[in-house]
Structure formats: structure tokens, C-alpha cells
Amino acid sequence: MPSDSEFWTFASAFRRFLKRKLCLAEDPSDACNSPIIDAHTIPRSQLRKIAEQGHVHSFDSSPAQLAKSDGKIAIKSFGVGQFSVLNCFCRRHDNAIFVDVEDVPLVFSPRQLALLHYRTVASELYRKIRMVEATNYQIEALSKKRKRNRDALQYLDAFNEGQKLGMRDGRLAFAECQRILKEDDYGALSALVIRFRRMPTIMTVGGFYPEFGFDGRPLQTLGDSNEFYETISFNILSSEERAAVAMIWSKGHLNPLAFARSYEQQPSNLYTTLAIQASFEHLENTCVQPAWWDGLRKIEQDLLLRRMQVAGSIFEERRGSSLQYTGVTHDDWEFDSLEYINV
Ligand SMILES: [Zn+2]
């Protein structure tokens, strides 16, 4: 099995493929006629709320960082214009589709929930398309070497099969999101929205296939080609100048629902810490307020980074206890209210 550092070296090759441009909203009847832009998955207006001098902290897994630290990722500063951008929409489609989350306050209306979910599913699909390309490239490069590393090749082949399954399910999920928006069929989605009294100290937008609940119970086991994997989008954003966590999934999908319920059933004074843990566990597209991060003890910073290091590596199996409270409280935005929408 490749090591952590090999994974992150591969991840930086992957990053080159993420520069390739594509508009996921392109349609034969609605061709793109404007350039592909750096589309933000977390709106800049949101990032500014936790930024200091226009910057937030996020993960550094660049080749330079990996080379100097034996493959260890770190935290570094990003300008709000650079963080959380993907080349997966053209300007016209990006403006037209997301007007109802970009230009009006975020209150988690049914349409806003559908748009957040659409964008997450789109960005995950885009990443999977690029991941398959990057893996194919890597396999080809390894096959051409005179001294073939059979183990590595076998591993990459198996890994690529898993990614292709993810891409297959990602395309289905994306098509469903397009349908929901087109037909205003918001009843096809369910959500859990948790509101707090204080502003968030981290923000995240992303999606994943829940494997374990916050109670440690198993949900879906990934890697079976006969299974359809159910996805959840997990967002930490600011709504009405306070922190909010929003989880969104297809109505009727039982794994994301069980995931949301396992969160609800934890003590409410742990909601903040558990949301932070889940973000570092599952979503590289997470950024933090610099002052908050700098105020953490070194041991806490290491604990959180280690999560991203291990969990971000797809070569490592996730542990059942990965989302359970570890005994370390990272922050408390002060729980206010919790609401299930259309479950
Ligand atoms: Zn387009």
C-alpha cells in the first residue's frame, strides 16, 4: 500500500488536472458562450466574514510543503479570491444559476438548499472526473517504466475502479440536482439546519458518502460496485451573522438521514466541536479564521491536521470512531436551534 507521503505526492499531481476547465452546466440546448471562471464553492462574501486582512487559513499540501516535511501537510494563508475555486462553470452559467445564493442573504430557503446541494454535488463530480484522469495518467506513467512496480500498479488500478464508481454515482446525483432546479422540485431534498448564536470560526462546503455516524455506527461500506452510494452535503456558513451547519441529501436516502440523526443525538454543547471534526475529517475545502487557529494549542492543531492527513488520504481506511467526540473541545459557537426540513 502506498504511504501517506506517496498519496500526497499523487494528490499534488491531481491538482494539475484540476486546472483543466469544463462547464458542468453545458447543455446542447444551452451552449456555453463565456469563459470558464474560477467558480467559488464558498462565496467570497462568506469568506470575508471570517477572513483577516482578506485572508483565511487552510491546508497546504503543495509539492513544496510535502518535499520539505516528508509528506506532512500544513496550514497556510490564502487570499479569499484564491481559496475554494474550481474551474467547473462558465461565467454565464455560474452567474445565472447561483444568483439566489450569491446576491441575496442566505436563509436556507428550499431553493437555496437545492442550490447549495447542486454546487456541492457539481464540485465533487468535477473532482472525481479529474481524479480518474490523474490516475489514468499515473498508471500510464508507471506502466512505461522499465522496472515496473507491480504492487503500486495493482493498487492504482483498484483505486481507479473505486473512483469510477464514485464518478458514476456522482453523475447520477448531479443529473438529479439539475432536474430538481429545473422543475423547482425542492420536495425531493431533505435537510438538517443547526443554528448557533455566535459567528463560525471555520467554514466549509463539500460532500461525502457517510461511512460512520457521530455515534460510531457503520453506515455505508465503500467499494462495492453493486451499491449505489448516498451522498450528503455538509456546509458550515454564516446565516444572519451567526454560524449555521446545513446538511442536505436526497429525500428517502437513509444513510445521510441516519448520519444527521446521529449528530442531533449528541449533546448540543458538542455540536460545534463535532462539526469541526467532521470538516477536518472529510473536506479539504475547509478554511479557518486565522486568530482561532493560532489560538489553539499545538497539540490541538496537530490533532486536527492529523485528521486531514490520514482521512484525506484515500489509501487509508476510515475508523468507525472517526467522528466521535475525542474529549477535546475545539470551540463552541453556542447552539441555538435545530430544524429538520422535509425529512
Ligand atoms: Zn456554461
Side-chain angles (χ1 to χ4, degrees):
M1 177 182 286
S3 66
D4 267 11
S5 64
E6 277 169 323
F7 166 73
W8 286 105
T9 310
F10 170 64
S12 64
F14 167 54
R15 191 157 317 117
R16 279 185 297 131
F17 281 83
L18 283 181
K19 295 211 168 76
R20 291 192 175 177
K21 296 168 194 291
L22 159 80
C23 178
L24 286 168
E26 172 138 45
D27 188 291
S29 65
D30 185 17
C32 302
N33 48 14
S34 65
I36 308 293
I37 52 162
D38 285 346
H40 281 260
T41 53
I42 305 180
R44 246 185 293 194
S45 57
Q46 285 275 340
L47 292 173
R48 282 199 197 97
K49 292 179 197 289
I50 64 163
E52 290 165 14
Q53 278 131 31
H55 286 73
V56 292
H57 281 358
S58 188
F59 306 107
D60 181 6
S61 53
S62 63
Q65 164 62 26
L66 298 175
K68 73 175 182 211
S69 64
D70 194 23
K72 290 235 166 20
I73 57 171
I75 283 277
K76 80 166 192 185
S77 177
F78 290 83
V80 296
Q82 281 86 53
F83 181 69
S84 170
V85 292
L86 285 179
N87 301 308
C88 60
F89 288 108
C90 71
R91 177 174 294 130
R92 184 174 63 83
H93 277 126
D94 193 67
N95 288 341
I97 294 169
F98 297 112
V99 60
D100 293 330
V101 278
E102 296 293 343
D103 301 353
V104 291
L106 181 63
V107 294
F108 303 110
S109 67
R111 181 164 177 85
Q112 287 185 326
L113 287 167
L115 284 167
L116 290 175
H117 193 58
Y118 172 91
R119 180 150 59 190
T120 298
V121 169
S123 59
E124 297 302 321
L125 172 59
Y126 175 78
R127 284 170 188 279
K128 291 203 175 84
I129 292 171
R130 296 309 181 221
M131 181 62 94
V132 168
E133 287 174 351
T135 314
N136 283 336
Y137 171 85
Q138 202 83 350
I139 288 173
E140 208 182 319
L142 278 179
S143 314
K144 277 187 193 146
K145 279 193 184 165
R146 196 175 294 166
K147 258 192 90 182
R148 283 211 201 164
N149 181 342
R150 273 177 197 285
D151 281 356
L153 263 174
Q154 245 176 17
Y155 204 88
L156 278 174
D157 271 331
F159 172 71
N160 212 19
E161 287 312 304
Q163 287 301 305
K164 284 180 193 162
L165 290 179
M167 192 166 81
R168 177 199 69 184
D169 292 355
R171 283 194 195 282
L172 291 175
F174 182 65
E176 170 66 358
C177 286
Q178 285 182 304
R179 186 197 66 76
I180 290 169
L181 285 180
K182 200 168 166 191
E183 299 174 7
D184 294 326
D185 183 17
Y186 309 126
L189 294 176
S190 298
L192 170 63
V193 176
I194 304 101
R195 293 172 185 281
F196 298 83
R197 295 196 185 88
R198 290 174 40 211
M199 281 292 279
T201 41
I202 85 167
M203 284 189 176
T204 196
V205 164
F208 51 90
Y209 302 121
E211 291 170 72
F212 297 99
F214 289 90
D215 50 9
R217 282 215 300 245
L219 297 170
Q220 312 174 90
T221 308
L222 302 186
D224 180 347
S225 60
N226 299 313
E227 284 287 311
F228 173 83
Y229 293 108
E230 298 175 347
T231 186
I232 193 164
S233 18
F234 191 90
N235 306 271
I236 302 177
L237 293 165
S238 147
S239 167
E240 297 165 326
E241 301 304 312
R242 301 178 302 156
V245 173
M247 304 182 204
I248 312 162
W249 62 94
S250 281
K251 187 177 168 78
H253 282 190
L254 297 178
N255 289 299
L257 174 63
F259 182 82
R261 290 225 189 272
S262 75
Y263 181 84
E264 177 219 324
Q265 284 155 7
Q266 305 306 309
S268 62
N269 63 338
L270 296 183
Y271 282 166
T272 303
T273 290
L274 293 175
I276 292 172
Q277 281 185 193
S279 304
F280 276 78
E281 182 76 27
H282 283 288
L283 302 169
E284 209 184 341
N285 188 33
T286 295
C287 66
V288 305
Q289 182 182 57
W292 172 76
W293 181 261
D294 295 338
L296 294 180
R297 289 169 296 155
K298 174 83 170 56
I299 187 166
E300 262 183 278
Q301 294 180 345
D302 289 346
L303 207 61
L304 285 169
L305 274 183
R306 178 84 195 132
R307 256 178 206 285
M308 178 48 65
Q309 180 90 34
V310 174
S313 165
I314 344 189
F315 295 147
E316 301 233 8
E317 236 170 75
R318 207 177 295 284
R319 284 172 307 134
S321 60
S322 55
L323 294 179
Q324 286 180 290
Y325 182 58
T326 60
V328 181
T329 302
H330 298 301
D331 202 353
D332 186 2
W333 307 322
E334 296 168 17
F335 170 67
D336 183 30
S337 65
L338 180 147
E339 179 190 7
Y340 279 103
I341 297 166
N342 191 40
V343 293

